[in-house]
Amino acid sequence: MALEDLIKRAHSTFLHQFGGDPGKKVTFVAAPSRLTLLGGEYTEAVDGFSLLAAGNHSIVVAAQRRSDKMGVIHSLTYDEKIKVSLATLKFDRADGWANYPKGVLYFYERTGRKLEGIQMVVAGDLPEGVGLGASAAITVATAVACNILGMNPLDDATLAKLCHRVESQFMGLRGDYFSPYAVKFSKKDQLVLFDARSFKPEYLTFDSKNYKLVVVDSGVRKKEREDEFKKRLELFTQLLQEIRKHVPKVISLRDVGGEAYETARKKLDIILRKRLDHVVYENSRVKRAKDILQRGDYEAFGRILSESHDSLNDKLKTTCQEVDILTEVVRSLPGCLGSRMMGIGWGGSVVCLVKAADTDAFVNRVKGDYKKRVNISPQVFVNEPQEGAREVEAVVSTTGSQAS
């Protein structure tokens, strides 16, 4: 759905739910989906690097101040509304989707930037459960709205870290930093490099006219994926202890490299060595991708995406049969320069670098070819790097009045 249409829907629903007060401005914030091209959960775990972009789907929040210290949140997607006191916010499993904006309000209040109250509508076309960062989009959109409506706004890096706390602390789920970072810091026709240590963005131009980032969902989520992910992270902790026996000053696996690393890795058994190799060489791939994109060599960039995926498969063992088949399918199609699994693994989506001229044919072929192989009809999403979360204007109708 076009962003303008989402804004119209959010505005119309806001007026229906809360009425129109000409003396109070309605603020609109749009936050995009998130694409992970390199790095991600495993490199963040070692203070490393990721290459990210914002995608074509969006969450739109329409928000307005209140003066009664209450938060009233309506979801257009779920057609539900909740009302909570900002003074007594807490996680409630029964509130489901609403815990994401509630968590933002909870931490925002605790930064000392008090809100008098807020009422908001959440609308979106961002599909859930396919690895496009839906939860990050709703938290960042809410946080940006709070920044606009409250006093003494947070800087962007602090805002992204606050959004991470919503999942990891308020909701007790596995959260990451790179997703809210990508949602906030991304720019149109740019890829953004995430440094888990510095949080300072670095941008690389992407040729959106001639290349597209196509996400294909395998339709599979293996039940063991979270447990296996935790095992990999525990292994990284063990590996760091082993490396420190040979290179004592290493702070994290991000810092491993050079001759000292080669000496240390030779003393590891083959399984540990493979696990370690992935994060060490994945960080290196992000740096190589930077040089390649600055040269405009998209053939080489596609090869790096595939190299990264093959490392996830061979060295981390995080793929599954369906993702392996999907990878075979997409790489066999004309115009696909490379592909890589997004997320922690054992199912999920792959992102493909596809020549723009071949995109339509690619989408049609992958749907049919993958279904023939595994009897699953995949969802396919074509993306160009988009702008990160920001305030947007209300859409004005041709008669000059605001959309309703």
Side-chain angles (χ1 to χ4, degrees), residues 258-270:
E259 293 183 6
Y261 167 58
E262 293 301 328
T263 299
R265 71 184 290 275
K266 290 177 182 178
K267 300 181 182 297
L268 301 172
D269 71 58
I270 185 64

Side-chain angles (χ1 to χ4, degrees), residues 47-61:
D47 293 341
F49 303 97
S50 300
L51 190 63
L52 312 163
N56 283 49
H57 294 85
S58 300
I59 293 291
V60 170
V61 164

Side-chain angles (χ1 to χ4, degrees), residues 52 80 103 129 151 193 252 315 334 379:
L52 312 163
E80 295 176 353
M151 302 293 290
L193 195 153
S252 73
K315 298 188 182 302
Q379 297 184 80

Side-chain angles (χ1 to χ4, degrees), residues 32 52-56 182-192 203-209 212 383-390:
L52 312 163
N56 283 49
V183 171
K184 185 66 191 79
F185 281 96
S186 288
K187 291 186 181 297
K188 175 73 173 170
D189 297 327
Q190 303 278 322
L191 307 183
V192 58
Y203 295 98
L204 303 169
T205 300
F206 183 85
D207 182 2
S208 298
K209 180 180 178 181
K212 306 298 178 185
N383 299 272
E384 300 172 4
Q386 300 296 318
E387 195 71 20
R390 73 280 185 199

